[in-house]
Every structure is written in C-alpha cells, then in structure tokens.
Amino acid sequence: MAFPARNPPNSAYNRDSESDTSAHSPEEQLKRTIALAISSLCAFLFVALPPGRPAQTPKRPHFTDVAARSQISYRSNNSPGGHKYFPQPMCGGVAIFDFDNDGRLDIFFTNGAQLPEMKKTNPSFYNCLLRQRTDGTFEDVTSKAGLTGKDLDFNFGVAVGDYDNDGYEDLFVCGAGRNALYHNNGDGTFTDVTAASGIGGKPPNTLSVAAAWFDYDNDGLLDLIVDNYTFWTPQTDLRCTMGSAEYYCDPRRYQSVPPRLYRNLGHGKFEDVTEKSGLAKSPGKGMGISIADFNNDGWPDIFIANDTEPNSLFINRKNGTFEEQGLELGVAYNDSGNTGSSMGSDAKDYDNDGNVDIFYNNLKGQVWQLLRNDSNLFQLAYVSKVQTLSLPFSGWSNGFIDYNNDGWKDIYSANGDVDQVNEKSPQHDTMFENLGGKTFLDVSGEMGKDFQRIGYQRGSAFGDLNNDGAMDIVVTSLNATPRILMNSADSGNHWLLLSLTGHKSARDAVGAKIKLTTASGRVLYNHVAISVGFMSSSDKRVHFGLGDETKVSSIEIRWPSGIRQVLKDIKADQVLKIDEAGK
C-alpha cells in the first residue's frame, strides 16, 4: 500500500528513497548483496527459451458478471470524502465458502465504517453474507445469520476455517479496532465468540489486515495467524498535504508490528503464542498471507507480504517455533534489492516441479514478483515475463487459477490505483496465462467486457460457484457493487475438483499436498489452501485442470497428519470427495 503517485516530488517519503541503503547496517547490506547475487545467478541459470504458444481448444474461456441477477445491495464503503484516513484504501475483503453445507458456495464480504467515528453507523457499512440459491442467484441473509458486524468498526480481511471440526465453516474478521471470531452454529446462524475464545486479544489500536487458519503444530486443530500492519486510530492518523491538497501518508511513517499467532487448545479456546513461537521478533506491515509447506518437510510455513518492509518467510521448526528466513531464502527484497508495496500473495506450484512457488503483486511501476522455488532458494522467474507485463498495473488481490483447465496455473490480479483522484486512475483486472510453466501471456483482453470493467479493485476470491469444473472469481471494488465473474467453461478441457475431509488431520485438511498423475503420465501438483490473495479466503476444494486427459492414473495425498493415501483410476470431470484414511 505504498503510494508513489500521491507523494509530492520533494517529499522525504518519495518512492525514490527506497534505493537508499543508509538505514541498514553494514552486516545487513552485505547479507542483502549476497542474497541478491545468489538469486540473480540462479535466475540466470534457470532462463530457457520459452515454449511456443500452445494450440488453443476451441477458444479461451471468458467471464460474465452475474451479480445483477441477484440485486445485491452490498457496496464496499470506505467512508470516502473529507480527510484521507490511512486505512481507507483497504476495504472489501471476500470469502467464498459453503456455510450451510448445501453443496453450493456462498459469499461473504467485509466492509468499512464511518470515519472518524469508526462505527458502522448505518447498513451501508454492514458486512454481508450471500447465500446461493438453487438457480445460481444469491440472497442476502446477513441479518438472519448474525453477521452484519454492526457492533464492529472498520473491517478488512476475512479468514474461513472449521476451527472446532464440527463440519461447519467458521469466520474470523479483521479490523482496525477489535477482531471478531464467529462460530457457525450449523443452523444458518453465527455467534460472536471472540471474548470467550481468547482470540480477540491484541495490543491496543493494532490494525489487523488479514488472517489465515492452519495447523502449525499438526495436532488436528486449526490455529490462527493474524497479519498485523501498524498501530492506528483516527486520532493518531497522520495528515500529509502539499499546499491545499491532501494525500495518503507514506506507510513508512507508521510503526511496524509483528503478526500474532493463536494456538488452538480445543473446546473453543486459544492461547496467544506469538512470543513463544518466535514471531514477535519479526515486525512488519503485513498485507498478503500465504500458507504452504515450502521446504517439503511436512510442516506448514508462512509467507507474509509486507508493505515497504522486507517480506517475511517463517519456516516451521516442528517444535512450536518458527525461524524467519526471508532474506536467506530470497523473498525479503525485490530483484533490485529493495522493498516494495507487496500487496496480495499466493503460494502454489505454478511450474509443476513439486516445489511451492510464491507470487505477490505491487503498485504501478513496481515489478510484480513471481518467485520460483528451486528447493534451496526462491529466485525471480525472469523468463516468465510477469515483471514486464505487470508494469502498467497496481495489483491488490491475486491468485494462481487455472482458468482454462489446461493443467497450468495462471495468474489473476485485481487491479486499481490507491486513490480515487481522477478519471485516469481506474484499472481493469489482468489474467496472465501460463504457457507450459515457463512464460506467461497477457490474455486480459480476451476475458470479456465484464472482466475488463475498470475500477479500484481490492479483494478477490476463487471457487467453482456452479460446480461445472471451471474456476469463477468474486471481486470487490471501492465504493461499488462486487462482481461475480462466472467462467464460461468452454475451453473443451477436462478437470477434477477434490473435496478433502480430514479425520486425524484437521477437518479442513489445510496444507494437504496432492500429486496427481494422469493416464498419459503427466504430473500435476496442488495443495489445500484457503488464504489466497489480499484480505480474502477461497474455496477449500482443490482444483485441477487436466487438458485433454479424461482419466487420472493416481492421486497421492500427504495429509497434515503424515498419513499418505493413494487413489487409483479416477475419471475426470467430477467433484470427488475424499476422506482421510485410517480414521
């Protein structure tokens, strides 16, 4: 959320100052130089001629916005006008999940609050739950479900997870004031259990942007990490002006804070283990958060994209503690050895080599980072062309999504400038198509007019809303109705959607790793991941595009519990439910 366009040319916080290393110690400068040199060398060694553009079957899919069919009243509302309060650009988190277990995905949105009062003074600021009907339209059931959040303040991210393993997905909502844990009662309603859970505690005035559920100690209970940004209240908000014009202050003027980790003790109780786990030693300005087993040791790690601060990569030490290794592993700084805006993030294996890679986007003019995991180090994938394709865009939420079911994960980004200052600021979203795991092609212009609607996009989430095997997208825009973008699903390619249920592992099976081998011997990789993009949560089911393959030879699953399970001879084009073996 660093805003180069808004800073006056002579500002001490002009983006040009990012290259100034005077604030770093000689030891850190040396470490950065060595890490950058190693990363650049690895990237050079990896560069290969990109494959030719594959033949397309019969055409690329496109997306159609169906939100109007449901007469949705929700609009993200960041209380625009008047004073420019620092959190205003971060509004409109999204979650796609099946809250009532009827087999149809539903949608939840977070919303802002009236400033400076920090109150949801009227329904235009309420959070929103949309239940999907049998005809594919959505009905607003927010009040009935108890999720308006009218007693909360300015909300940002939402994390979905079944923390008590009762079969119903619960919600954690982040805010500038208090955070909230909502327990799903299984009857269409939710109860705010924050106070009793022990999960609401945090240092006063902490601004929490995002969160993710995951089982960091592999005990079968989902724990929670909360991605914090800074300390802030309307009263401590900084005001930055140039003449009579006001602009959002540079993030570097705000104090960094560490994330918070809550261990699930069972029976609805949590313990704050931030200090004990080692996370307290690594403050940042957390935006995107991605959970994955980056070193293939069977334990989940944490990547956090930090705004104007070095990104964090917390490696799980299997003993309840984490070690921050962002610098050593090549993710802390960008390819120039500087920090960036580092907005949303996702972690998936885009080149199907068995290692989980990292993507995070930045603001216009900065290089979006696609970092390839070579088992020892993350290196910028120069040959991918992502850095060149992304230069005109300011990216917020994002995700690896195989939109055309060819077996290669493409990159979607929800784009928009920071400030709604002039008619040239709005941007359209982008889809970068993955060509054989090496390079990417910008196909945004072929995604349809609804996909290309310009605006100030913020949150986005992914899921197969109509169970047709093609991934759909839900996107919010500042002070606008959200888009529900349905995939035309007409690529002609086949697919498989896996719905995993843990028993010894946590029921949501977050982190379960899947290796799929097709009948022809092609190998594809994915894992269960709910925290995707920026302030958002996606469908927990795992999607595989299969290209022209109609049969899967084997599916190998490594559950978080350590159990390994193999299924044989699976037909394509189905939603396959899989229970953890040995229950």
Side-chain angles (χ1 to χ4, degrees):
M1 201 179 70
F3 319 132
R6 69 183 184 215
N7 293 332
N10 296 323
S11 168
Y13 299 100
N14 188 276
R15 178 55 75 190
D16 291 342
S17 65
E18 279 189 356
S19 59
D20 181 13
T21 60
S22 60
H24 301 287
S25 67
E27 181 181 3
E28 184 174 351
Q29 290 185 44
L30 178 60
K31 287 183 178 180
R32 291 175 64 187
T33 301
I34 294 173
L36 178 61
I38 294 174
S39 178
S40 300
L41 176 61
C42 292
F44 174 78
L45 295 174
F46 176 66
V47 169
L49 292 175
R53 178 168 171 168
Q56 296 299 313
T57 59
K59 59 180 180 180
R60 286 190 168 87
H62 62 278
F63 293 86
T64 301
D65 182 9
V66 300
R69 292 178 51 202
S70 301
Q71 299 180 337
I72 296 170
S73 61
Y74 167 87
R75 292 167 60 92
S76 66
N77 187 346
N78 69 346
S79 190
H83 181 56
K84 291 186 181 296
Y85 290 97
F86 185 70
Q88 284 175 319
M90 298 185 290
C91 186
V94 189
I96 295 179
F97 70 124
D98 183 4
F99 83 91
D100 53 1
N101 288 348
D102 65 355
R104 296 183 295 273
L105 293 177
D106 312 299
I107 308 171
F108 177 79
F109 301 101
T110 67
N111 215 340
Q114 184 69 47
L115 295 169
E117 295 83 357
M118 287 282 282
K119 300 291 184 182
K120 295 185 184 294
T121 53
N122 61 68
S124 72
F125 292 106
Y126 286 179
N127 299 331
C128 177
L129 177 64
L130 299 179
R131 178 180 180 272
Q132 186 176 174
R133 303 185 183 99
T134 55
D135 63 357
T137 62
F138 292 84
E139 62 174 323
D140 189 328
V141 295
T142 314
S143 295
K144 185 188 306 182
L147 289 176
T148 62
K150 61 183 179 181
D151 58 336
L152 301 179
D153 40 58
F154 204 112
N155 293 134
F156 303 110
V158 52
V160 174
D162 181 5
Y163 72 83
D164 56 354
N165 291 327
D166 67 351
Y168 290 90
E169 299 299 315
D170 310 299
L171 294 177
F172 181 82
V173 177
C174 300
R178 84 172 179 94
N179 299 328
L181 176 62
Y182 291 100
H183 177 259
N184 188 334
N185 300 318
D187 59 0
T189 68
F190 290 77
T191 299
D192 185 339
V193 297
T194 314
S197 70
I199 213 169
K202 62 178 180 179
N205 305 325
T206 302
L207 192 155
S208 301
V209 173
W213 293 98
F214 73 127
D215 186 2
Y216 81 91
D217 51 2
N218 286 344
D219 66 351
L221 297 170
L222 289 182
D223 312 298
L224 182 75
I225 181 167
V226 181
D227 203 358
N228 295 322
Y229 191 103
T230 190
F231 297 118
W232 180 89
T233 68
Q235 291 71 40
T236 60
D237 188 69
L238 301 176
R239 191 177 183 209
C240 295
T241 60
M242 183 175 62
S244 60
E246 185 174 355
Y247 56 91
Y248 292 113
C249 293
D250 192 289
R252 285 167 289 188
R253 298 189 62 179
Y254 287 90
Q255 180 181 345
S256 301
V257 294
R260 302 206 76 78
L261 180 63
Y262 299 91
R263 180 171 181 260
N264 191 337
L265 303 176
H267 307 290
K269 303 295 183 181
F270 292 81
E271 175 192 5
D272 187 336
V273 293
T274 306
E275 298 284 344
K276 188 185 303 184
S277 67
L279 267 61
K281 297 183 293 185
S282 300
K285 292 186 173 74
M287 300 283 273
I289 181 168
S290 299
I291 306 297
D293 179 6
F294 292 109
N295 56 3
N296 286 321
D297 67 352
W299 294 77
D301 310 304
I302 309 162
F303 171 79
I304 294 179
N306 287 312
D307 188 4
T308 69
E309 299 278 347
N311 301 316
S312 302
L313 183 54
F314 296 101
I315 298 300
N316 195 324
R317 287 304 174 203
K318 313 176 196 177
N319 60 1
T321 68
F322 291 83
E323 182 178 351
E324 204 289 299
Q325 295 187 3
L327 181 63
E328 293 86 344
L329 295 179
V331 305
Y333 299 93
N334 64 21
D335 61 314
S336 299
N338 298 315
T339 59
S341 298
S342 299
M343 315 293 264
S345 67
D346 194 12
K348 299 280 170 53
D349 182 0
Y350 81 89
D351 54 359
N352 287 322
D353 67 350
N355 297 316
V356 179
D357 311 298
I358 294 173
F359 173 76
Y360 64 92
N361 47 20
N362 282 303
L363 294 186
K364 183 178 180 179
Q366 300 177 7
V367 175
W368 294 3
Q369 301 284 294
L370 177 62
L371 302 174
R372 180 178 178 271
N373 183 351
D374 71 357
S375 297
N376 298 300
L377 187 73
F378 287 86
Q379 53 187 320
L380 182 66
Y382 289 97
V383 74
S384 72
K385 301 182 181 178
V386 167
Q387 63 272 26
T388 303
L389 298 174
S390 66
L391 282 174
F393 302 100
S394 294
W396 290 79
S397 193
N398 58 63
F400 286 108
I401 168 177
D402 185 0
Y403 86 98
N404 58 357
N405 283 341
D406 66 352
W408 297 103
K409 300 174 190 70
D410 314 298
I411 296 175
Y412 164 84
S413 179
N415 304 324
D417 210 338
V418 173
D419 200 2
Q420 296 168 281
V421 293
N422 60 63
E423 62 183 13
K424 295 182 180 180
S425 294
Q427 299 177 15
H428 64 76
D429 298 343
T430 47
M431 184 72 77
F432 296 163
E433 186 174 302
N434 186 339
L435 304 183
K438 292 291 194 299
T439 189
F440 287 78
L441 176 71
D442 187 346
V443 296
S444 311
E446 300 178 51
M447 298 296 97
K449 63 180 180 62
D450 291 342
F451 182 93
Q452 292 185 287
R453 190 184 83 180
I454 61 172
Y456 300 84
Q457 279 67 246
R458 289 302 184 258
S460 68
F462 313 97
D464 184 359
L465 292 170
N466 55 358
N467 294 322
D468 66 352
M471 296 298 284
D472 309 303
I473 307 172
V474 179
V475 196
T476 62
S477 300
L478 288 183
N479 303 300
T481 56
R483 282 173 296 157
I484 302 175
L485 296 171
M486 302 299 295
N487 192 319
S488 61
D490 53 0
S491 69
N493 289 327
H494 299 279
W495 55 275
L496 194 62
L497 199 60
L498 306 183
S499 179
L500 273 61
T501 299
H503 294 281
K504 186 176 181 182
S505 303
R507 187 177 178 88
D508 280 349
V510 175
K513 305 189 76 168
I514 303 166
K515 175 183 178 182
L516 183 150
T517 305
T518 68
S520 69
R522 185 182 182 189
V523 179
L524 308 175
Y525 295 90
N526 211 336
H527 62 274
V528 178
I530 300 177
S531 174
V532 176
F534 177 62
M535 304 188 302
S536 301
S537 294
S538 292
D539 183 8
K540 66 179 180 179
R541 299 178 299 178
V542 183
H543 173 259
F544 285 93
L546 299 176
D548 60 2
E549 305 265 5
T550 60
K551 191 174 182 181
V552 171
S553 175
S554 68
I555 299 173
E556 301 176 43
I557 303 171
R558 188 176 75 186
W559 297 85
S561 65
I563 291 174
R564 293 178 180 269
Q565 187 172 352
V566 179
L567 291 78
K568 297 282 191 179
D569 299 328
I570 307 297
K571 292 182 179 179
D573 305 328
Q574 63 168 314
V575 179
L576 182 63
K577 295 182 178 181
I578 304 173
D579 280 271
E580 183 176 15
K583 58 182 179 179

